[in-house]
Amino acid sequence: MAIKYSSKINKIRTFALSLIFIGVIVMYVGLFFRTSPIIMTLFMVFGMLFLVASGIVYFWIGTLSTRAVQVVCPSCGKVTKMLGRVDLCMFCREPLTLDRELEGKEFDEKYNKKRKS
Protein backbone atom coordinates (compact mmCIF):
# COMPACT_ATOMS: atom_id res chain seq x y z
CA MET A 1 0.00 0.00 0.00
CA ALA A 2 1.44 3.38 -1.01
CA ILE A 3 1.69 6.06 1.66
CA LYS A 4 -0.31 9.17 0.79
CA TYR A 5 1.74 12.27 1.49
CA SER A 6 0.54 15.85 1.69
CA SER A 7 2.29 19.18 2.16
CA LYS A 8 2.90 20.08 5.78
CA ILE A 9 0.88 23.28 5.62
CA ASN A 10 -2.12 21.41 4.20
CA LYS A 11 -1.81 18.72 6.90
CA ILE A 12 -1.93 21.31 9.67
CA ARG A 13 -4.86 23.12 8.04
CA THR A 14 -6.74 19.82 7.75
CA PHE A 15 -6.07 19.14 11.44
CA ALA A 16 -7.46 22.57 12.37
CA LEU A 17 -10.56 21.96 10.25
CA SER A 18 -11.09 18.60 11.93
CA LEU A 19 -10.93 20.35 15.32
CA ILE A 20 -13.83 22.54 14.23
CA PHE A 21 -15.93 19.53 13.24
CA ILE A 22 -15.07 17.68 16.44
CA GLY A 23 -16.03 20.73 18.49
CA VAL A 24 -19.38 21.09 16.76
CA ILE A 25 -20.13 17.37 17.15
CA VAL A 26 -19.22 17.45 20.86
CA MET A 27 -21.50 20.45 21.36
CA TYR A 28 -24.28 18.72 19.43
CA VAL A 29 -23.95 15.62 21.63
CA GLY A 30 -24.37 17.95 24.60
CA LEU A 31 -27.88 18.77 23.37
CA PHE A 32 -28.94 15.21 24.14
CA PHE A 33 -28.35 15.94 27.83
CA ARG A 34 -30.80 18.86 28.14
CA THR A 35 -32.31 17.28 31.23
CA SER A 36 -28.95 17.49 33.01
CA PRO A 37 -27.64 21.07 32.76
CA ILE A 38 -24.25 20.19 34.27
CA ILE A 39 -23.47 17.47 31.70
CA MET A 40 -24.81 19.60 28.86
CA THR A 41 -22.65 22.52 29.99
CA LEU A 42 -19.58 20.28 30.16
CA PHE A 43 -20.12 19.14 26.58
CA MET A 44 -20.64 22.73 25.44
CA VAL A 45 -17.47 23.88 27.19
CA PHE A 46 -15.41 20.99 25.75
CA GLY A 47 -16.81 21.71 22.28
CA MET A 48 -15.92 25.36 22.67
CA LEU A 49 -12.38 24.39 23.72
CA PHE A 50 -12.01 22.43 20.47
CA LEU A 51 -13.15 25.50 18.53
CA VAL A 52 -10.72 27.76 20.38
CA ALA A 53 -7.92 25.24 19.79
CA SER A 54 -8.78 25.28 16.08
CA GLY A 55 -8.50 29.08 16.03
CA ILE A 56 -5.10 28.87 17.73
CA VAL A 57 -3.87 26.27 15.22
CA TYR A 58 -5.11 28.36 12.28
CA PHE A 59 -3.36 31.44 13.69
CA TRP A 60 -0.15 29.46 14.24
CA ILE A 61 -0.11 27.96 10.73
CA GLY A 62 -0.89 31.39 9.30
CA THR A 63 2.15 32.92 10.97
CA LEU A 64 4.26 29.89 10.03
CA SER A 65 3.05 30.15 6.44
CA THR A 66 4.24 33.74 6.16
CA ARG A 67 7.78 32.62 7.06
CA ALA A 68 7.80 29.58 4.76
CA VAL A 69 10.14 29.51 1.78
CA GLN A 70 8.34 30.13 -1.50
CA VAL A 71 9.53 28.05 -4.44
CA VAL A 72 8.32 27.51 -7.99
CA CYS A 73 7.34 23.89 -8.54
CA PRO A 74 9.30 22.47 -11.48
CA SER A 75 6.39 20.21 -12.41
CA CYS A 76 3.33 22.50 -12.42
CA GLY A 77 5.07 25.90 -12.42
CA LYS A 78 3.00 27.29 -9.51
CA VAL A 79 4.48 29.06 -6.51
CA THR A 80 4.23 26.85 -3.42
CA LYS A 81 5.50 27.10 0.14
CA MET A 82 8.00 24.73 1.72
CA LEU A 83 8.48 23.87 5.38
CA GLY A 84 11.52 21.83 6.37
CA ARG A 85 14.16 20.14 4.25
CA VAL A 86 11.64 18.27 2.07
CA ASP A 87 8.02 18.99 1.30
CA LEU A 88 5.47 18.42 -1.43
CA CYS A 89 3.99 20.90 -3.86
CA MET A 90 0.61 22.02 -2.53
CA PHE A 91 -0.92 21.66 -5.97
CA CYS A 92 0.58 18.65 -7.77
CA ARG A 93 2.32 16.84 -4.86
CA GLU A 94 5.71 16.92 -6.55
CA PRO A 95 8.50 16.22 -4.02
CA LEU A 96 10.56 19.36 -3.40
CA THR A 97 13.82 19.97 -1.59
CA LEU A 98 16.29 22.80 -1.18
CA ASP A 99 18.97 20.46 0.20
CA ARG A 100 21.51 19.44 -2.45
CA GLU A 101 22.24 16.18 -0.56
CA LEU A 102 18.63 15.01 -1.03
CA GLU A 103 18.23 15.78 -4.73
CA GLY A 104 17.35 12.66 -6.68
CA LYS A 105 16.54 10.61 -3.58
CA GLU A 106 13.10 9.13 -3.03
CA PHE A 107 10.78 11.39 -1.00
CA ASP A 108 10.59 10.55 2.70
CA GLU A 109 9.26 12.77 5.48
CA LYS A 110 11.97 11.37 7.79
CA TYR A 111 14.42 13.80 6.17
CA ASN A 112 12.72 16.60 8.15
CA LYS A 113 13.62 15.05 11.51
CA LYS A 114 16.40 16.71 13.47
CA ARG A 115 19.77 15.24 12.63
CA LYS A 116 21.79 13.92 15.54
CA SER A 117 25.28 15.39 15.49
Side-chain angles (χ1 to χ4, degrees):
M1 183 170 97
I3 298 173
K4 183 181 172 191
Y5 292 110
S6 175
S7 73
K8 283 184 242 12
I9 292 176
N10 284 344
K11 280 183 188 177
I12 298 171
R13 287 179 181 158
T14 302
F15 173 70
L17 182 63
S18 66
L19 284 176
I20 290 175
F21 286 120
I22 291 169
V24 170
I25 290 169
V26 168
M27 291 170 70
Y28 184 75
V29 168
L31 292 177
F32 291 113
F33 296 100
R34 280 185 244 169
T35 56
S36 176
I38 293 173
I39 295 175
M40 184 180 83
T41 303
L42 284 174
F43 273 95
M44 294 297 171
V45 168
F46 283 136
M48 196 64 186
L49 288 175
F50 278 108
L51 295 177
V52 168
S54 171
I56 291 169
V57 171
Y58 270 122
F59 179 77
W60 172 68
I61 193 58
T63 57
L64 194 63
S65 179
T66 60
R67 292 184 283 145
V69 178
Q70 291 187 357
V71 295
V72 176
C73 176
S75 187
C76 67
K78 295 182 181 178
V79 176
T80 188
K81 295 181 179 181
M82 269 188 65
L83 292 176
R85 294 174 71 200
V86 295
D87 204 353
L88 295 177
C89 175
M90 295 171 129
F91 306 101
C92 67
R93 295 189 177 171
E94 174 78 19
L96 303 170
T97 184
L98 295 174
D99 192 346
R100 296 266 184 219
E101 296 174 10
L102 301 176
E103 285 182 7
K105 291 186 179 179
E106 187 173 339
F107 179 80
D108 193 352
E109 289 181 336
K110 292 178 187 171
Y111 293 134
N112 287 324
K113 305 273 190 242
K114 298 272 185 196
R115 287 189 256 178
K116 295 181 181 174
S117 302

